[in-house]
Amino acid sequence: MGETASVLPDRFPALLPQRLEMLRRATGLPVVFGGAVTPGRDLVLSSFFGTHGTSLHGLRIGAGRGLGGTAIAMGAPVRVNDYASTKAITHEFDQMVVVDERLTSVFAYPVTVRGTVRGVLYGAVRGQTTIGDRSIRMAGAIAQGFAQDLDMPSPNTRAALRELAEVAKLVGDPALRERLRKVHQDLGGEVPVTVPTGLTPRELDTLRLAAVGASNREIAAELGLSTETVKAYLRGAMRKLGVHNRTAAVHAARSTGAL
């Protein structure tokens, strides 16, 4: 099962622009960008909002190098208030980041699927402003949702997995049947495709943001909803999960594997 993420078709590049747009809207940051991590653990930047030029386009970043490479190596988000002067990272990319783009406060948030960093989301500002904790929380919620989407087989893949499971049942040779079962498992056949609690996608989105400490107003801004609608989604989630407050709902959703 540990190899599933690399065996399934990589949907990261196709989904990345949408997630970056969500990040931009949720945080209000003027610059967001990101890219996927190769099997060799190099990050390749591929999608951008708010950059001035193209010097970052296609940039390849090794694990442990710069801000994004540090996030990959640590498997955790990294934020710097002044990219040019910080001693927490290496500085081989200063020409592009500091000189060309004039970025100052920057964070890199890894998107991790089953313990493997699949990509990195960046947020940045120019000038004296620094990135606050709220932006990091929002980035965390978006990265978590992104990882969950990447871990879910596509509809075509699910159909193929169902067919493979049916074929395996019809095979009389036990050894061959076991080989087919193993292939089915390695391709993600045991990944749940529905949430047993019956939570809707919007209820899950709401709980995901609540899980990282976002207020109802922040959740509403991120999802483009009214605060009353957010409250309704939270009430619906609590009812389905059989709990009476948002903290318990987050805990219950996590215990089912929904978050």
Side-chain angles (χ1 to χ4, degrees), residues 149-213:
D149 288 342
L150 291 169
D151 200 29
M152 190 77 71
S154 67
N156 288 340
T157 302
R158 292 198 295 268
L161 288 171
R162 285 194 296 269
E163 185 173 353
L164 178 59
E166 291 303 315
V167 170
K169 292 177 183 177
L170 300 175
V171 172
D173 183 338
L176 179 56
R177 186 166 60 248
E178 175 59 20
R179 285 177 62 189
L180 289 173
R181 186 202 66 77
K182 181 63 166 58
V183 170
H184 180 263
Q185 176 179 312
D186 287 345
L187 288 173
E190 294 185 358
V191 177
V193 297
T194 58
V195 179
T197 54
L199 295 171
T200 67
R202 275 306 198 190
E203 288 168 344
L204 284 170
D205 288 341
T206 303
L207 286 176
R208 192 174 292 125
L209 290 165
V212 294

Side-chain angles (χ1 to χ4, degrees), residues 18-29 32 121 134-146 149 201-202 204-210 212-227 230 233:
Q18 179 192 42
R19 296 314 188 277
L20 288 175
E21 174 61 19
M22 289 175 61
L23 179 62
R24 187 187 65 78
R25 287 191 292 105
T27 61
L29 294 174
V32 296
L121 307 178
R134 175 185 175 277
S135 293
I136 302 298
R137 289 201 308 270
M138 291 298 182
I142 291 167
Q144 185 179 25
F146 197 174
D149 288 342
R202 275 306 198 190
L204 284 170
D205 288 341
T206 303
L207 286 176
R208 192 174 292 125
L209 290 165
V212 294
S215 67
N216 287 350
R217 180 176 295 179
E218 289 171 338
I219 295 171
E222 154 65 9
L223 300 179
L225 305 171
S226 69
T227 55
V230 168
Y233 281 134

